Amino acid sequence: PVSSTSFAGAQCTLEISNDTGLVDSGIYTFQVRVGDGCRWSEWSHTSNPYAYRVPPPTPPILPAGSMKAPVVVELVSSTVARVRWADFKPAPGLTRLEYEVRATPQPKGDKVMDGQVVTTRFEHRYRGGFIEREVANLVPYTVYIFSVRARYANVGSRAWFGEHQDSAPFASDQTTASQDPPPPKVVPHAAGDEVVDAGDGAPGDGGKPAAAVYCS
């Protein structure tokens, strides 16, 4: 029941919140009756069918020039990338979001790139600002496009939302291999040093040792 003090004028409006038990995508009809504290009137005529839906989480509109793309990626290692995007905004009264970050390999010319779609999911409480998440198990030398989608963790439709929230093509380059050790240097030995033969030289070198270590 709603007190008459909530209404003013010839037309009345009543908001029904999410915690009343309405089911997302449910079809509802509504009726109204009035009481004076002692008795109730008859119910009104039934309304037209109404499809109830929880508003989906939406990515914020970023200022021009604030980011190169809605989703920004940087290399961590040959198989790991760090993904950054703006927090999606939930409907009023909701705070818990579930995110999906997906890395999709891209073809190179007529060649299909190696690797499969890599997906990671996690729950997050909305706080605004930016979110960072690392995606592992990437294939080196493969071009990926990273996309971010969101939905509510326990409320509403299980569909994902976040159209056009994609990164620019990103290459997972292999990390640089360690350099070969420098070649040994010949160190002049002083008188009295002991020469230790480290192996025979190649044929034709007069039987000279391939390397020598001088020990004082």
Side-chain angles (χ1 to χ4, degrees), residues 21-100:
L22 297 179
V23 177
D24 186 62
S25 300
I27 307 297
Y28 294 90
T29 58
F30 296 89
Q31 291 177 282
V32 178
R33 64 178 178 174
V34 65
D36 59 6
C38 296
R39 58 190 182 278
W40 288 99
S41 70
E42 296 295 327
W43 285 102
S44 69
H45 294 293
T46 303
S47 70
N48 293 328
Y50 173 77
Y52 173 74
R53 187 175 183 182
V54 179
T58 56
I61 300 176
L62 301 176
S66 60
M67 297 178 69
K68 295 181 179 179
V71 179
V72 177
V73 187
E74 63 179 4
L75 187 68
V76 176
S77 70
S78 60
T79 59
V80 180
R82 181 177 295 111
V83 186
R84 186 172 185 259
W85 69 95
D87 205 356
F88 284 39
K89 186 176 182 180
L94 300 176
T95 59
R96 199 72 181 175
L97 299 171
E98 182 181 2
Y99 278 106
E100 179 187 74

Side-chain angles (χ1 to χ4, degrees), residues 57 85 87-88 90 94-101 119-126 131 148-162:
W85 69 95
D87 205 356
F88 284 39
L94 300 176
T95 59
R96 199 72 181 175
L97 299 171
E98 182 181 2
Y99 278 106
E100 179 187 74
V101 184
T119 302
T120 180
R121 295 178 179 177
F122 66 98
E123 291 189 7
H124 164 82
R125 188 175 298 278
Y126 173 76
I131 300 176
V148 176
R149 303 186 297 175
R151 66 186 180 188
Y152 299 117
N154 300 305
V155 177
S157 171
R158 304 314 296 157
W160 293 98
F161 301 95

